Amino acid sequence: FFSPDGTPERAYFLMGVNDALALWEGARGITGTPLQSNANWAWANQNLKPAMGFSPMHFWDEGNAGVSAGEVNATNVSAVTPPWMHYYFLAILGIGKEKGFLTSGNLSWLSVLVNSQFIEPQFDPHLGAAYAMPIKKKDGTYFQSWTEIQQNGFTPAQIDSTKTTYGQSNYYPILETCAAAYTANESGGAAAWTWLNTNARPKGAFAGEDLPWNVTPRSGATVPLPGL
């Protein structure tokens, strides 16, 4: 973004960014974007798709087997993934879009992770602040809904603990709220932002290192890269 226009360095960096974005889009079968014509899209679409595909809730990865009984219901869970790392990534994709990079395809795909939490009436959105999120059942298949994750992936005590400490002893709700600022213009984003802005954002002290996460939704416009 800061490289001078017309320099080989800038062209090289931009090529690297677009190649990475195309690989991610191809692996997830994201179509209709300018990067679908990038050769890396077709290669990833053929070679990088997980055998089981991706979770219906659009977790970025397939999870890992580091299941802790203190974090999830280990009796029912075989793999977990950290939702807060997804929130970091969503913010980066959103910032990239604002600066004119072609992140929209990946941003829209991953926005489902946040926004879909607020369309299932039986799911308690406080669980979006969990340190580890159950992604696979004991048989190795994906959980199919947020409600199923809540009912089978956590114990009642773990759910109560997450709700009790929400916005108090951890900053994961603030990370999700920051991510929601960048998914607010995606499908279901208005409901996600409204809930998090009401229930999570007011609890953030936003002092010191927490200040950068005090982000609100933008207009949704994409600013062209300088010189393009």
Side-chain angles (χ1 to χ4, degrees), residues 22-23 33 49 78 102 139 145 210 222:
L23 285 168
T33 74
K49 287 182 177 179
S78 65
L102 300 176
D139 63 4
S145 69
D210 291 338
T222 299

Side-chain angles (χ1 to χ4, degrees), residues 95-125:
I95 292 169
K97 178 180 178 180
E98 289 183 347
K99 293 188 180 302
F101 292 99
L102 300 176
T103 63
S104 293
N106 287 297
L107 175 62
S108 294
W109 189 92
L110 189 54
S111 71
V112 173
L113 176 77
V114 171
N115 296 350
S116 64
Q117 295 180 35
F118 301 87
I119 61 175
E120 295 184 33
Q122 291 182 291
F123 179 72
D124 187 340

Side-chain angles (χ1 to χ4, degrees), residues 57-143:
M57 282 72 76
H58 285 207
F59 290 103
W60 192 255
D61 58 14
E62 298 179 85
N64 64 78
V67 176
S68 168
E71 297 167 351
V72 299
N73 188 343
T75 302
N76 300 331
V77 177
S78 65
V80 298
T81 190
W84 49 278
M85 288 190 179
H86 292 68
Y87 305 151
Y88 278 129
F89 190 34
L90 271 167
I92 292 299
L93 292 173
I95 292 169
K97 178 180 178 180
E98 289 183 347
K99 293 188 180 302
F101 292 99
L102 300 176
T103 63
S104 293
N106 287 297
L107 175 62
S108 294
W109 189 92
L110 189 54
S111 71
V112 173
L113 176 77
V114 171
N115 296 350
S116 64
Q117 295 180 35
F118 301 87
I119 61 175
E120 295 184 33
Q122 291 182 291
F123 179 72
D124 187 340
H126 290 94
L127 291 176
Y131 178 79
M133 188 66 69
I135 186 172
K136 288 180 179 176
K137 295 179 277 191
K138 207 64 175 180
D139 63 4
T141 61
Y142 287 122
F143 286 104

